[in-house]
Amino acid sequence: MNLLVDNYAREHTYLRISVTDRCNLRCVYCMPAEGVPLKKREEILTLEEIYRVAKVFVGLGIDKIRITGGEPLVRKGLDGLIKRLGALAGVKTLAMTTNAVLLADQVRQLHQSGLTALNISLDSLQPKRFEAITLRDDHAKVMAGITAALSEKLETVKLNCVVIAGVNDDEVLDFVHFVKDKPLNVRFIEYMPFKDNNWQSTGVVSYAQMRGVIEQQFTLEPLNARPGDVAKDFSLVGHQGTVSFISSMTDSFCGTCNRLRLTSEGSIKSCLFYGAEVSLRDAMRAGGSDADLRDLIQIAVKGKPEAHPPIEELAASDNRSMVEIGG
Ligand code: SAM
Ligand code: SF4
């Protein structure tokens, strides 16, 4: 039974856990070039604490967990955590979002430990442009990570591509061609505003625009959506790979949102764009029981807003940066 039902009858089955606020890239749309002030080690949940919280969430009805960050692969001991989370009865999907810089050497072990799905972030197929976006010269490592992930035959491998006008919007068709003969789903994501990420409304390339560009060359066939899906998914005639659009800016999906987030310092965020956070870390370190954690989780769920504010308000709000929240 799902016990994570909010005031708008939304059932929450999906928990995104940020395991670190650190990252080995500096994507300009995610954080300032100098990085964000890092939390002290003791402010971040230990792996044991993450496992304990995840177990409580699973007991309340979570069946899908995504490990994210920061960059999750920079967290020491991650594989052991994956093993323990994968062994939790009730977890059907154990996914990770990664920039793949460190993936090639780790993906086999992670798969063996129970990881079922990967989302790999890649915003450009061009090495020089990749460097201009991420401020690091790691394109070849990411491509090797993608190749290794594909040979591992996980349940799903997806590419996350944030499309920004004048930065990489001329590569939309290149990405579609890239997945032609690969079992890859490329997800084109609308550029969202976060603190200090230089967001401007002129940088947003809308779902409608991206779709229009692709439809000049390809026929898109809608795939069946599952409840809580945030992506609009399509297959393409003659293509093995598929494409999706995440239209957070122009056509938000708050009405069916089934997600909760746990930040690296152990706070629950019920909405990516909603400031209020409830700290499970403080409760645990004050000796709180699992029942206390369950109560706090319910407070966060019941406080979830019906929808996020309009774009103009989001851009002006003081929400944390994506790398801090956990994407
Ligand atoms: N470091 C990992 C990675 O890049 O895959 C995981 C964390 S990252 C914050 C999670 C996702 O958030 C990435 O796919 C990234 O592209 C996306 N993201 C970050 N900033 C964004 C923004 N301003 N708009 C849209 N997506 C963004
Ligand atoms: Fe790091 Fe991911 Fe943010 Fe890029 S998007 S800076 S890889 S956390």
Side-chain angles (χ1 to χ4, degrees):
M1 189 169 83
N2 189 296
L3 298 171
L4 298 169
V5 185
D6 70 9
N7 290 336
Y8 307 95
R10 293 173 296 199
E11 277 188 18
H12 295 81
T13 53
Y14 180 10
L15 177 66
R16 299 170 68 102
I17 301 177
S18 173
V19 294
T20 180
D21 61 340
R22 286 161 165 71
C23 188
N24 44 0
L25 297 184
R26 289 285 175 277
C27 305
V28 290
Y29 56 76
C30 178
M31 62 158 117
E34 65 280 11
V36 292
L38 294 177
K39 306 271 171 311
K40 293 196 199 100
R41 185 177 290 264
E42 59 272 21
E43 291 177 82
I44 301 290
L45 289 193
T46 63
L47 295 173
E48 192 57 44
E49 286 170 331
I50 295 175
Y51 175 71
R52 176 175 171 198
V53 170
K55 199 170 164 198
V56 170
F57 268 104
V58 170
L60 291 168
I62 292 293
D63 64 15
K64 174 173 177 180
I65 294 178
R66 177 173 301 281
I67 301 297
T68 179
E71 172 48 38
L73 294 178
V74 304
R75 176 86 198 235
K76 300 251 176 335
L78 186 70
D79 183 56
L81 177 68
I82 296 285
K83 226 176 245 157
R84 295 182 77 192
L85 294 178
L88 279 176
V91 175
K92 295 185 196 140
T93 304
L94 182 53
M96 181 186 296
T97 301
T98 172
N99 62 32
V101 172
L102 300 172
L103 186 64
D105 292 341
Q106 297 189 38
V107 68
R108 168 139 310 161
Q109 182 57 51
L110 291 167
H111 187 202
Q112 284 171 0
S113 297
L115 192 76
T116 63
L118 267 174
N119 283 15
I120 297 174
S121 301
L122 179 67
D123 308 306
S124 179
L125 295 165
Q126 304 170 17
K128 281 280 154 237
R129 187 178 279 178
F130 174 94
E131 190 173 343
I133 296 172
T134 64
L135 309 186
R136 297 289 184 270
D137 177 19
D138 283 329
H139 189 259
K141 289 184 189 156
V142 175
M143 300 310 283
I146 293 171
T147 305
L150 287 176
S151 63
E152 207 39 53
K153 306 219 179 325
L154 293 139
E155 282 173 24
T156 50
V157 182
K158 300 181 182 182
L159 291 185
N160 282 0
C161 178
V162 179
V163 180
I164 305 177
V167 173
N168 62 348
D169 54 334
D170 57 344
E171 286 191 67
V172 167
L173 281 172
D174 295 344
F175 272 98
V176 176
H177 285 289
F178 180 70
V179 302
K180 182 171 191 307
D181 300 314
K182 299 180 184 68
L184 265 176
N185 169 239
V186 56
R187 300 164 13 120
F188 296 111
I189 303 175
E190 289 178 352
Y191 178 28
M192 297 186 279
F194 292 99
K195 193 168 165 238
D196 298 331
N197 82 339
N198 300 311
W199 185 89
Q200 291 184 340
S201 58
T202 49
V204 177
V205 184
S206 69
Y207 154 58
Q209 287 170 300
M210 297 189 262
R211 186 173 172 170
V213 167
I214 296 173
E215 285 185 326
Q216 284 171 13
Q217 275 197 25
F218 297 95
T219 304
L220 292 176
E221 296 186 332
L223 293 165
N224 286 341
R226 281 162 310 183
D229 272 357
V230 297
K232 297 171 171 60
D233 302 320
F234 298 87
S235 62
L236 300 101
V237 176
H239 247 65
Q240 185 182 9
T242 54
V243 305
S244 302
F245 304 92
I246 315 277
S247 54
S248 342
M249 290 292 101
T250 60
D251 181 15
S252 67
F253 24 77
C254 303
T256 56
C257 181
N258 65 349
R259 304 158 171 224
L260 295 169
R261 291 182 154 79
L262 183 71
T263 67
S264 56
E265 73 265 46
S267 295
I268 309 171
K269 242 179 127 62
S270 60
C271 168
L272 187 53
F273 294 110
Y274 185 52
E277 298 179 7
V278 174
S279 176
L280 297 180
R281 179 197 66 193
D282 294 350
M284 281 190 286
R285 294 186 185 173
S289 65
D290 284 0
D292 295 331
L293 299 185
R294 281 194 285 275
D295 289 347
L296 288 171
I297 292 170
Q298 291 300 350
I299 289 171
V301 170
K302 298 293 181 212
K304 179 162 173 154
E306 184 172 14
H308 65 64
I311 299 187
E312 310 76 53
E313 273 178 49
L314 288 179
S317 75
D318 199 28
N319 199 6
R320 301 206 281 166
S321 64
M322 188 69 143
V323 68
E324 291 176 285
I325 301 166

